[in-house]
Amino acid sequence: MRSKLSWIPFVPLFLAAGFFKFAQELMPQGSVFGLTALQMEYCYIGAAVVILLFAVLFVATDKNIASYYVPHKNVPAGLIGFLLCVLLAADGGLTAFQMFNSGTFSIVPILGAVLALLSAIVFFIFGLNHIFRRNEGRNLSLLNAIPAVFCGVRMILVFIQFTTISIKVADVSALICYVFATLFFYHYAVVLSLIKNKSSLKSCFIFGLPAVAMMIPYGIYHLCFRFDPVMILNNAQPLEMLVFGLYILAVLIEITMFVKDKDHVKIIEKEDSAPDPVDEKVEGFIASNVSEDENDIQENNEYRESSDTEGYLYQDTHDANDKVDDPLREYDHLNPDTEGYLTEIQEESDEVDDRPKDYESRLDDIDKLILDISKKSE
């Protein structure tokens, strides 16, 4: 898979980004190719942009990587997630405490403090999942997106600070770090939630590698050369940057090791469809699988001699074209013999049934006389 080739340009460019960032303090001005501190800052950002371009190139030509990824056990990422949980909880709690203590409230800082506390909970869950490999899947789709929202709010806070200071002294690298982190955590949330998207797994490489190249040097630089011993809370942001970069790096290493190509991933989608009605023949019963409303709208409800009437209350006694030899048969349809049909009520009794069973015995004497006269006249 060509997406894994993104690590080849990442390693030297990551070292170059760190070199240009630290050279601003470690080396005199102009000693590095005659570049000033501001120019080296641009080279540091430019190295991350080149990593982005190489990642886009390799990912765009990768046609074999699967669209879905099932997370695996990752103990380093789990431990870093627990550390992030502690840092974000402390940052959000201290920020909220300072705002209530000073009595100054602003919507965006309050939102940032709340999201920091929520992100602490999310990274605690992430840490458990990385270590114990719990398959939460779609159940945590909303929680998975909270880190992306948190980084987006931090990006807005950094951008708001630019309106009060000169662009020359503005910390543009912090803004770009949060841009890459927001995009990475958004696509990572899509991957964890198993949402159908062809490019989310690839986008983790595209935005994750530049985020690592910027956030780790940024955090180390500010903790070493811009540490604030008076306001400890001011050091929370660069420390979080460093830990965010390490977490993204651990996740990308895991994806690179265990990602599958599309030929080895089988996608099973459940489709809820109503079963088709099955025509069943129930012998001996008057039954139908057609609904009652459909039966009402049927126009032809009469029985036909050609239809299958087995098991129904129907009997064809004789053919209409046959000649009736016995005059008694002309009256059979008036008093048919119902022995063995469903219309006959048979009760078990100990008494002997002395009723005559033949037709002529049931006639009275007058009827017999009339029949004898009619026979003689013929």
PDB file of all heavy atoms in Angstrom, residues 206-234:
ATOM      1  N   ILE A 206      -2.766  12.003   5.855  1.00  0.00           N
ATOM      2  CA  ILE A 206      -2.565  13.322   5.242  1.00  0.00           C
ATOM      3  C   ILE A 206      -2.433  14.412   6.296  1.00  0.00           C
ATOM      4  O   ILE A 206      -1.563  15.287   6.202  1.00  0.00           O
ATOM      5  CB  ILE A 206      -3.729  13.633   4.267  1.00  0.00           C
ATOM      6  CG1 ILE A 206      -3.694  12.651   3.090  1.00  0.00           C
ATOM      7  CG2 ILE A 206      -3.642  15.067   3.768  1.00  0.00           C
ATOM      8  CD1 ILE A 206      -4.872  12.811   2.144  1.00  0.00           C
ATOM      9  N   PHE A 207      -3.287  14.385   7.322  1.00  0.00           N
ATOM     10  CA  PHE A 207      -3.271  15.446   8.329  1.00  0.00           C
ATOM     11  C   PHE A 207      -2.551  15.031   9.607  1.00  0.00           C
ATOM     12  O   PHE A 207      -2.129  15.906  10.376  1.00  0.00           O
ATOM     13  CB  PHE A 207      -4.712  15.858   8.661  1.00  0.00           C
ATOM     14  CG  PHE A 207      -5.483  16.364   7.484  1.00  0.00           C
ATOM     15  CD1 PHE A 207      -6.524  15.625   6.951  1.00  0.00           C
ATOM     16  CD2 PHE A 207      -5.155  17.575   6.897  1.00  0.00           C
ATOM     17  CE1 PHE A 207      -7.242  16.081   5.860  1.00  0.00           C
ATOM     18  CE2 PHE A 207      -5.866  18.043   5.803  1.00  0.00           C
ATOM     19  CZ  PHE A 207      -6.915  17.303   5.273  1.00  0.00           C
ATOM     20  N   GLY A 208      -2.402  13.730   9.850  1.00  0.00           N
ATOM     21  CA  GLY A 208      -1.735  13.302  11.068  1.00  0.00           C
ATOM     22  C   GLY A 208      -0.240  13.506  11.044  1.00  0.00           C
ATOM     23  O   GLY A 208       0.359  13.969  12.034  1.00  0.00           O
ATOM     24  N   LEU A 209       0.406  13.183   9.918  1.00  0.00           N
ATOM     25  CA  LEU A 209       1.863  13.337   9.840  1.00  0.00           C
ATOM     26  C   LEU A 209       2.303  14.804   9.949  1.00  0.00           C
ATOM     27  O   LEU A 209       3.250  15.104  10.703  1.00  0.00           O
ATOM     28  CB  LEU A 209       2.366  12.708   8.534  1.00  0.00           C
ATOM     29  CG  LEU A 209       2.232  11.179   8.451  1.00  0.00           C
ATOM     30  CD1 LEU A 209       2.651  10.673   7.075  1.00  0.00           C
ATOM     31  CD2 LEU A 209       3.057  10.497   9.540  1.00  0.00           C
ATOM     32  N   PRO A 210       1.669  15.764   9.251  1.00  0.00           N
ATOM     33  CA  PRO A 210       2.051  17.173   9.481  1.00  0.00           C
ATOM     34  C   PRO A 210       1.764  17.644  10.899  1.00  0.00           C
ATOM     35  O   PRO A 210       2.507  18.483  11.437  1.00  0.00           O
ATOM     36  CB  PRO A 210       1.203  17.939   8.459  1.00  0.00           C
ATOM     37  CG  PRO A 210       0.809  16.949   7.438  1.00  0.00           C
ATOM     38  CD  PRO A 210       0.701  15.640   8.155  1.00  0.00           C
ATOM     39  N   ALA A 211       0.685  17.127  11.502  1.00  0.00           N
ATOM     40  CA  ALA A 211       0.386  17.516  12.884  1.00  0.00           C
ATOM     41  C   ALA A 211       1.499  17.068  13.827  1.00  0.00           C
ATOM     42  O   ALA A 211       1.917  17.823  14.719  1.00  0.00           O
ATOM     43  CB  ALA A 211      -0.951  16.909  13.309  1.00  0.00           C
ATOM     44  N   VAL A 212       2.004  15.862  13.629  1.00  0.00           N
ATOM     45  CA  VAL A 212       3.106  15.371  14.459  1.00  0.00           C
ATOM     46  C   VAL A 212       4.357  16.215  14.240  1.00  0.00           C
ATOM     47  O   VAL A 212       5.072  16.583  15.201  1.00  0.00           O
ATOM     48  CB  VAL A 212       3.381  13.887  14.149  1.00  0.00           C
ATOM     49  CG1 VAL A 212       4.644  13.404  14.855  1.00  0.00           C
ATOM     50  CG2 VAL A 212       2.190  13.026  14.544  1.00  0.00           C
ATOM     51  N   ALA A 213       4.637  16.541  12.981  1.00  0.00           N
ATOM     52  CA  ALA A 213       5.848  17.305  12.653  1.00  0.00           C
ATOM     53  C   ALA A 213       5.828  18.704  13.246  1.00  0.00           C
ATOM     54  O   ALA A 213       6.901  19.296  13.475  1.00  0.00           O
ATOM     55  CB  ALA A 213       6.006  17.387  11.128  1.00  0.00           C
ATOM     56  N   MET A 214       4.636  19.250  13.533  1.00  0.00           N
ATOM     57  CA  MET A 214       4.550  20.594  14.088  1.00  0.00           C
ATOM     58  C   MET A 214       4.336  20.592  15.589  1.00  0.00           C
ATOM     59  O   MET A 214       4.906  21.428  16.309  1.00  0.00           O
ATOM     60  CB  MET A 214       3.412  21.368  13.406  1.00  0.00           C
ATOM     61  CG  MET A 214       3.687  21.716  11.952  1.00  0.00           C
ATOM     62  SD  MET A 214       2.695  23.089  11.372  1.00  0.00           S
ATOM     63  CE  MET A 214       3.299  24.441  12.380  1.00  0.00           C
ATOM     64  N   MET A 215       3.512  19.671  16.106  1.00  0.00           N
ATOM     65  CA  MET A 215       3.116  19.749  17.514  1.00  0.00           C
ATOM     66  C   MET A 215       4.236  19.303  18.454  1.00  0.00           C
ATOM     67  O   MET A 215       4.423  19.899  19.526  1.00  0.00           O
ATOM     68  CB  MET A 215       1.849  18.911  17.740  1.00  0.00           C
ATOM     69  CG  MET A 215       0.664  19.390  16.929  1.00  0.00           C
ATOM     70  SD  MET A 215      -0.874  18.497  17.269  1.00  0.00           S
ATOM     71  CE  MET A 215      -1.469  19.375  18.698  1.00  0.00           C
ATOM     72  N   ILE A 216       4.965  18.252  18.090  1.00  0.00           N
ATOM     73  CA  ILE A 216       6.041  17.791  18.987  1.00  0.00           C
ATOM     74  C   ILE A 216       7.161  18.827  19.099  1.00  0.00           C
ATOM     75  O   ILE A 216       7.571  19.184  20.235  1.00  0.00           O
ATOM     76  CB  ILE A 216       6.565  16.419  18.511  1.00  0.00           C
ATOM     77  CG1 ILE A 216       5.471  15.358  18.714  1.00  0.00           C
ATOM     78  CG2 ILE A 216       7.822  16.027  19.266  1.00  0.00           C
ATOM     79  CD1 ILE A 216       5.875  13.969  18.252  1.00  0.00           C
ATOM     80  N   PRO A 217       7.710  19.370  18.001  1.00  0.00           N
ATOM     81  CA  PRO A 217       8.719  20.432  18.164  1.00  0.00           C
ATOM     82  C   PRO A 217       8.173  21.677  18.862  1.00  0.00           C
ATOM     83  O   PRO A 217       8.893  22.320  19.641  1.00  0.00           O
ATOM     84  CB  PRO A 217       9.147  20.741  16.720  1.00  0.00           C
ATOM     85  CG  PRO A 217       8.828  19.507  15.954  1.00  0.00           C
ATOM     86  CD  PRO A 217       7.585  18.979  16.586  1.00  0.00           C
ATOM     87  N   TYR A 218       6.917  22.018  18.592  1.00  0.00           N
ATOM     88  CA  TYR A 218       6.325  23.198  19.234  1.00  0.00           C
ATOM     89  C   TYR A 218       6.271  23.016  20.746  1.00  0.00           C
ATOM     90  O   TYR A 218       6.646  23.929  21.507  1.00  0.00           O
ATOM     91  CB  TYR A 218       4.921  23.431  18.667  1.00  0.00           C
ATOM     92  CG  TYR A 218       4.229  24.650  19.250  1.00  0.00           C
ATOM     93  CD1 TYR A 218       4.336  25.877  18.624  1.00  0.00           C
ATOM     94  CD2 TYR A 218       3.467  24.558  20.422  1.00  0.00           C
ATOM     95  CE1 TYR A 218       3.701  27.002  19.148  1.00  0.00           C
ATOM     96  CE2 TYR A 218       2.833  25.663  20.953  1.00  0.00           C
ATOM     97  CZ  TYR A 218       2.962  26.892  20.316  1.00  0.00           C
ATOM     98  OH  TYR A 218       2.333  28.002  20.838  1.00  0.00           O
ATOM     99  N   GLY A 219       5.795  21.845  21.196  1.00  0.00           N
ATOM    100  CA  GLY A 219       5.697  21.622  22.632  1.00  0.00           C
ATOM    101  C   GLY A 219       7.047  21.609  23.320  1.00  0.00           C
ATOM    102  O   GLY A 219       7.222  22.227  24.383  1.00  0.00           O
ATOM    103  N   ILE A 220       8.025  20.923  22.722  1.00  0.00           N
ATOM    104  CA  ILE A 220       9.353  20.870  23.336  1.00  0.00           C
ATOM    105  C   ILE A 220       9.996  22.255  23.361  1.00  0.00           C
ATOM    106  O   ILE A 220      10.629  22.660  24.364  1.00  0.00           O
ATOM    107  CB  ILE A 220      10.249  19.872  22.578  1.00  0.00           C
ATOM    108  CG1 ILE A 220       9.660  18.457  22.688  1.00  0.00           C
ATOM    109  CG2 ILE A 220      11.676  19.899  23.106  1.00  0.00           C
ATOM    110  CD1 ILE A 220      10.411  17.425  21.862  1.00  0.00           C
ATOM    111  N   TYR A 221       9.837  23.011  22.294  1.00  0.00           N
ATOM    112  CA  TYR A 221      10.441  24.350  22.207  1.00  0.00           C
ATOM    113  C   TYR A 221       9.901  25.272  23.302  1.00  0.00           C
ATOM    114  O   TYR A 221      10.674  25.955  24.003  1.00  0.00           O
ATOM    115  CB  TYR A 221      10.171  24.933  20.825  1.00  0.00           C
ATOM    116  CG  TYR A 221      10.604  26.362  20.659  1.00  0.00           C
ATOM    117  CD1 TYR A 221      11.928  26.683  20.366  1.00  0.00           C
ATOM    118  CD2 TYR A 221       9.686  27.407  20.805  1.00  0.00           C
ATOM    119  CE1 TYR A 221      12.329  28.006  20.205  1.00  0.00           C
ATOM    120  CE2 TYR A 221      10.078  28.730  20.650  1.00  0.00           C
ATOM    121  CZ  TYR A 221      11.395  29.019  20.361  1.00  0.00           C
ATOM    122  OH  TYR A 221      11.795  30.326  20.211  1.00  0.00           O
ATOM    123  N   HIS A 222       8.574  25.298  23.464  1.00  0.00           N
ATOM    124  CA  HIS A 222       7.989  26.218  24.442  1.00  0.00           C
ATOM    125  C   HIS A 222       8.235  25.755  25.871  1.00  0.00           C
ATOM    126  O   HIS A 222       8.355  26.594  26.777  1.00  0.00           O
ATOM    127  CB  HIS A 222       6.486  26.359  24.174  1.00  0.00           C
ATOM    128  CG  HIS A 222       6.173  27.306  23.056  1.00  0.00           C
ATOM    129  ND1 HIS A 222       5.920  28.646  23.243  1.00  0.00           N
ATOM    130  CD2 HIS A 222       6.079  27.097  21.713  1.00  0.00           C
ATOM    131  CE1 HIS A 222       5.662  29.229  22.088  1.00  0.00           C
ATOM    132  NE2 HIS A 222       5.754  28.314  21.138  1.00  0.00           N
ATOM    133  N   LEU A 223       8.309  24.461  26.109  1.00  0.00           N
ATOM    134  CA  LEU A 223       8.595  23.995  27.459  1.00  0.00           C
ATOM    135  C   LEU A 223      10.052  24.231  27.853  1.00  0.00           C
ATOM    136  O   LEU A 223      10.364  24.434  29.032  1.00  0.00           O
ATOM    137  CB  LEU A 223       8.255  22.504  27.579  1.00  0.00           C
ATOM    138  CG  LEU A 223       6.770  22.138  27.530  1.00  0.00           C
ATOM    139  CD1 LEU A 223       6.587  20.630  27.536  1.00  0.00           C
ATOM    140  CD2 LEU A 223       6.008  22.769  28.697  1.00  0.00           C
ATOM    141  N   CYS A 224      10.940  24.234  26.865  1.00  0.00           N
ATOM    142  CA  CYS A 224      12.368  24.434  27.151  1.00  0.00           C
ATOM    143  C   CYS A 224      12.765  25.904  27.150  1.00  0.00           C
ATOM    144  O   CYS A 224      13.561  26.334  28.016  1.00  0.00           O
ATOM    145  CB  CYS A 224      13.211  23.670  26.129  1.00  0.00           C
ATOM    146  SG  CYS A 224      13.054  21.873  26.238  1.00  0.00           S
ATOM    147  N   PHE A 225      12.238  26.692  26.223  1.00  0.00           N
ATOM    148  CA  PHE A 225      12.710  28.073  26.048  1.00  0.00           C
ATOM    149  C   PHE A 225      11.657  29.119  26.388  1.00  0.00           C
ATOM    150  O   PHE A 225      11.994  30.302  26.481  1.00  0.00           O
ATOM    151  CB  PHE A 225      13.167  28.289  24.597  1.00  0.00           C
ATOM    152  CG  PHE A 225      14.220  27.316  24.159  1.00  0.00           C
ATOM    153  CD1 PHE A 225      13.919  26.309  23.245  1.00  0.00           C
ATOM    154  CD2 PHE A 225      15.520  27.385  24.648  1.00  0.00           C
ATOM    155  CE1 PHE A 225      14.881  25.412  22.824  1.00  0.00           C
ATOM    156  CE2 PHE A 225      16.487  26.484  24.240  1.00  0.00           C
ATOM    157  CZ  PHE A 225      16.172  25.486  23.323  1.00  0.00           C
ATOM    158  N   ARG A 226      10.398  28.751  26.586  1.00  0.00           N
ATOM    159  CA  ARG A 226       9.341  29.725  26.883  1.00  0.00           C
ATOM    160  C   ARG A 226       8.544  29.317  28.122  1.00  0.00           C
ATOM    161  O   ARG A 226       7.377  29.656  28.260  1.00  0.00           O
ATOM    162  CB  ARG A 226       8.384  29.835  25.691  1.00  0.00           C
ATOM    163  CG  ARG A 226       9.005  30.382  24.431  1.00  0.00           C
ATOM    164  CD  ARG A 226       9.291  31.895  24.568  1.00  0.00           C
ATOM    165  NE  ARG A 226       9.717  32.478  23.302  1.00  0.00           N
ATOM    166  CZ  ARG A 226      10.984  32.568  22.928  1.00  0.00           C
ATOM    167  NH1 ARG A 226      11.951  32.077  23.698  1.00  0.00           N
ATOM    168  NH2 ARG A 226      11.309  33.122  21.785  1.00  0.00           N
ATOM    169  N   PHE A 227       9.183  28.602  29.008  1.00  0.00           N
ATOM    170  CA  PHE A 227       8.480  28.121  30.194  1.00  0.00           C
ATOM    171  C   PHE A 227       8.171  29.289  31.122  1.00  0.00           C
ATOM    172  O   PHE A 227       9.034  30.141  31.398  1.00  0.00           O
ATOM    173  CB  PHE A 227       9.339  27.086  30.930  1.00  0.00           C
ATOM    174  CG  PHE A 227       8.627  26.422  32.074  1.00  0.00           C
ATOM    175  CD1 PHE A 227       7.752  25.371  31.843  1.00  0.00           C
ATOM    176  CD2 PHE A 227       8.837  26.865  33.380  1.00  0.00           C
ATOM    177  CE1 PHE A 227       7.101  24.755  32.898  1.00  0.00           C
ATOM    178  CE2 PHE A 227       8.186  26.254  34.444  1.00  0.00           C
ATOM    179  CZ  PHE A 227       7.308  25.207  34.196  1.00  0.00           C
ATOM    180  N   ASP A 228       6.924  29.317  31.621  1.00  0.00           N
ATOM    181  CA  ASP A 228       6.471  30.391  32.510  1.00  0.00           C
ATOM    182  C   ASP A 228       6.408  29.848  33.941  1.00  0.00           C
ATOM    183  O   ASP A 228       5.491  29.095  34.284  1.00  0.00           O
ATOM    184  CB  ASP A 228       5.092  30.889  32.071  1.00  0.00           C
ATOM    185  CG  ASP A 228       4.685  32.161  32.791  1.00  0.00           C
ATOM    186  OD1 ASP A 228       5.391  32.574  33.729  1.00  0.00           O
ATOM    187  OD2 ASP A 228       3.630  32.735  32.418  1.00  0.00           O
ATOM    188  N   PRO A 229       7.393  30.221  34.798  1.00  0.00           N
ATOM    189  CA  PRO A 229       7.370  29.694  36.178  1.00  0.00           C
ATOM    190  C   PRO A 229       6.370  30.413  37.072  1.00  0.00           C
ATOM    191  O   PRO A 229       6.066  29.920  38.173  1.00  0.00           O
ATOM    192  CB  PRO A 229       8.814  29.941  36.658  1.00  0.00           C
ATOM    193  CG  PRO A 229       9.266  31.117  35.865  1.00  0.00           C
ATOM    194  CD  PRO A 229       8.584  31.039  34.532  1.00  0.00           C
ATOM    195  N   VAL A 230       5.866  31.556  36.629  1.00  0.00           N
ATOM    196  CA  VAL A 230       4.931  32.324  37.467  1.00  0.00           C
ATOM    197  C   VAL A 230       3.511  31.815  37.281  1.00  0.00           C
ATOM    198  O   VAL A 230       2.831  31.431  38.230  1.00  0.00           O
ATOM    199  CB  VAL A 230       5.033  33.821  37.138  1.00  0.00           C
ATOM    200  CG1 VAL A 230       4.043  34.621  38.004  1.00  0.00           C
ATOM    201  CG2 VAL A 230       6.461  34.331  37.352  1.00  0.00           C
ATOM    202  N   MET A 231       3.048  31.815  36.032  1.00  0.00           N
ATOM    203  CA  MET A 231       1.707  31.318  35.701  1.00  0.00           C
ATOM    204  C   MET A 231       1.852  29.920  35.103  1.00  0.00           C
ATOM    205  O   MET A 231       2.106  29.755  33.908  1.00  0.00           O
ATOM    206  CB  MET A 231       1.014  32.267  34.724  1.00  0.00           C
ATOM    207  CG  MET A 231       0.685  33.628  35.320  1.00  0.00           C
ATOM    208  SD  MET A 231      -0.507  33.539  36.674  1.00  0.00           S
ATOM    209  CE  MET A 231      -1.937  32.929  35.793  1.00  0.00           C
ATOM    210  N   ILE A 232       1.729  28.933  35.957  1.00  0.00           N
ATOM    211  CA  ILE A 232       1.919  27.550  35.511  1.00  0.00           C
ATOM    212  C   ILE A 232       0.870  27.162  34.468  1.00  0.00           C
ATOM    213  O   ILE A 232       1.143  26.358  33.567  1.00  0.00           O
ATOM    214  CB  ILE A 232       1.863  26.590  36.719  1.00  0.00           C
ATOM    215  CG1 ILE A 232       2.925  26.990  37.752  1.00  0.00           C
ATOM    216  CG2 ILE A 232       2.076  25.143  36.267  1.00  0.00           C
ATOM    217  CD1 ILE A 232       4.344  26.894  37.235  1.00  0.00           C
ATOM    218  N   LEU A 233      -0.315  27.754  34.570  1.00  0.00           N
ATOM    219  CA  LEU A 233      -1.383  27.413  33.638  1.00  0.00           C
ATOM    220  C   LEU A 233      -1.023  27.785  32.198  1.00  0.00           C
ATOM    221  O   LEU A 233      -1.511  27.151  31.253  1.00  0.00           O
ATOM    222  CB  LEU A 233      -2.684  28.117  34.046  1.00  0.00           C
ATOM    223  CG  LEU A 233      -3.935  27.773  33.232  1.00  0.00           C
ATOM    224  CD1 LEU A 233      -4.264  26.281  33.329  1.00  0.00           C
ATOM    225  CD2 LEU A 233      -5.127  28.611  33.694  1.00  0.00           C
ATOM    226  N   ASN A 234      -0.145  28.781  32.031  1.00  0.00           N
ATOM    227  CA  ASN A 234       0.262  29.167  30.681  1.00  0.00           C
ATOM    228  C   ASN A 234       1.094  28.091  29.992  1.00  0.00           C
ATOM    229  O   ASN A 234       1.241  28.124  28.760  1.00  0.00           O
ATOM    230  CB  ASN A 234       1.067  30.471  30.733  1.00  0.00           C
ATOM    231  CG  ASN A 234       0.217  31.648  31.187  1.00  0.00           C
ATOM    232  OD1 ASN A 234      -1.003  31.633  31.013  1.00  0.00           O
ATOM    233  ND2 ASN A 234       0.851  32.657  31.771  1.00  0.00           N
TER     234      ASN A 234
END
